[in-house]
Amino acid sequence: MAALFDAYIMVDWSAASKPATGPNSIWIGMLMKDARLKLQFKAVNIDTRLKARAFIEDIVAKLTKRGDKVLLGFDFSLGYPAGTAAALGLDTSKQAPWAAMHAMLAGRYKDKPDNNSRPRFAIAAGLNYTISKGPFPFWGAPPADRATTLSATKPDYPAEGPLAEFRLAEVQQRAKPGASPKSCWQLYGAGSVGSQSLTGIPHVHALRQAWPTARIWPFEIGEGGPLTAESLEGIDVVIAEIYPSLVKISPEKGEVPDEAQVRQIARHYADLDEKSALGAIFSTGKSLSPEQIGIITGEEGWILGV
């Protein structure tokens, strides 16, 4: 069987507040076919989010123009815990909760050439006010950006509360020995990942709007089951959430860990595809109920390979 994809582009995102390169900045790893149709890897390190999006648009346009199908992965949550859109009062009568969240965040967060991402804290504080009138559910901010509706410390997430601390994807991950996924609500501090989602989703939204033949998994394709060549008919780009720590990294000489991560997760997916096993991991798992799969495909999203 032929591989589902011809190119694998993996993005290690960053919410840095100024242009930055090196460790903890934006790394884009690309595994693409050369003139002999052999997969070759190349990584680029880009200093701002706007430049990174422009680069991704350009390289994907070149690949799809020559007929390649592209798997594009981003290492941040593409959705929020169930009920978030409703808690924000978003209109979901004509679009799914995930799409309403993407459009709302794209409308509120606008990157500028200087890469200043500090407005994300004010945006999160405003979202907290809408949801709870207090410092819930987003948390984590440097001293200058703390407010009555955005604290430095984690709030309580009661079991019967309106919003959970983790999505179903993180709950399933946390059940595995040694796994310690973080919550998309934490914006600042050790291990925080929430700022990547808040700054990254607007760019994913822009890319999706620019590409009529792209689909975001699992929201728009797959419906919780394996991916097949038939389900990719008419689709040139599949955008998915990735978790590079799913594979063990071994940095080569001169590589920073971020670069090694995008290289090895791209190779991991390509190797599975070569064995006709990649389609099977486009699945939310057999242990979930139809109701849970509906939550995943309608609002929360899922991590490719979990």
Side-chain angles (χ1 to χ4, degrees):
M1 293 178 64
L4 295 174
F5 298 97
D6 304 289
Y8 312 81
I9 301 176
M10 304 294 128
V11 184
D12 187 334
W13 197 249
S14 170
S17 292
K18 60 182 180 180
T21 56
N24 303 314
S25 62
I26 297 175
W27 285 88
I28 301 174
M30 301 163 288
L31 197 57
M32 306 173 294
K33 292 179 179 178
D34 61 15
R36 297 173 297 169
L37 301 182
K38 298 292 185 181
L39 287 172
Q40 301 292 339
F41 180 79
K42 178 182 179 181
V44 295
N45 186 201
I46 300 179
D47 63 352
T48 71
R49 287 174 291 278
L50 282 175
K51 288 180 185 177
R53 188 176 93 200
F55 178 87
I56 292 167
E57 281 193 84
D58 181 65
I59 193 66
V60 169
K62 290 175 180 175
L63 290 169
T64 55
K65 185 177 181 180
R66 73 183 192 185
D68 286 1
K69 287 190 182 292
V70 180
L71 174 60
L72 174 59
F74 289 92
D75 72 333
F76 51 78
S77 302
L78 294 179
Y80 285 86
T84 302
L88 285 166
L90 301 183
D91 183 3
T92 56
S93 61
K94 296 181 180 179
Q95 57 185 342
W98 73 267
M101 282 294 296
H102 280 213
M104 182 274 295
L105 290 175
R108 296 200 183 193
Y109 180 83
K110 303 290 185 182
D111 258 318
K112 295 182 179 180
D114 65 0
N115 214 44
N116 180 14
S117 66
R118 294 188 73 89
R120 71 190 188 274
F121 297 114
I123 292 169
L127 296 176
N128 277 353
Y129 181 82
T130 300
I131 292 171
S132 69
K133 303 297 188 290
F136 176 92
F138 289 98
W139 68 280
D145 294 291
R146 293 170 193 167
T148 56
T149 56
L150 185 65
S151 69
T153 55
K154 185 173 74 170
D156 291 329
Y157 296 90
E160 301 302 321
L163 296 173
E165 182 177 4
F166 298 103
R167 302 176 302 160
L168 290 168
E170 282 95 34
V171 171
Q172 184 143 322
Q173 266 191 296
R174 290 170 70 86
K176 298 182 179 180
S180 57
K182 304 298 182 181
S183 170
C184 58
W185 302 127
Q186 184 184 355
L187 302 176
Y188 186 77
S192 61
V193 297
S195 284
Q196 283 89 327
S197 291
L198 204 152
T199 62
I201 285 175
H203 291 283
V204 169
H205 178 77
L207 291 171
R208 175 63 185 87
Q209 296 302 303
W211 297 334
T213 57
R215 297 293 183 271
I216 301 175
W217 178 84
F219 302 131
E220 300 181 290
I221 185 174
E223 299 180 351
L227 200 65
T228 65
E230 288 74 21
S231 60
L232 283 176
E233 282 291 329
I235 298 172
D236 293 324
V237 184
V238 173
I239 302 170
E241 176 184 339
I242 62 171
Y243 184 58
S245 295
L246 284 175
V247 296
K248 185 178 179 180
I249 68 166
S250 300
E252 296 178 350
K253 186 176 180 180
E255 274 190 328
V256 301
D258 313 80
E259 183 180 4
Q261 281 194 320
V262 293
R263 174 175 56 80
Q264 293 198 212
I265 194 69
R267 177 58 66 183
H268 171 68
Y269 292 138
D271 287 346
L272 287 174
D273 208 3
E274 186 179 2
K275 300 171 185 174
S276 300
L278 182 61
I281 71 168
F282 280 87
S283 172
T284 51
K286 297 179 180 179
S287 62
L288 300 174
S289 67
E291 180 183 8
Q292 288 173 317
I293 291 175
I295 288 170
I296 290 163
T297 57
E299 183 162 18
E300 291 195 347
W302 197 255
I303 302 165
L304 183 58
V306 170

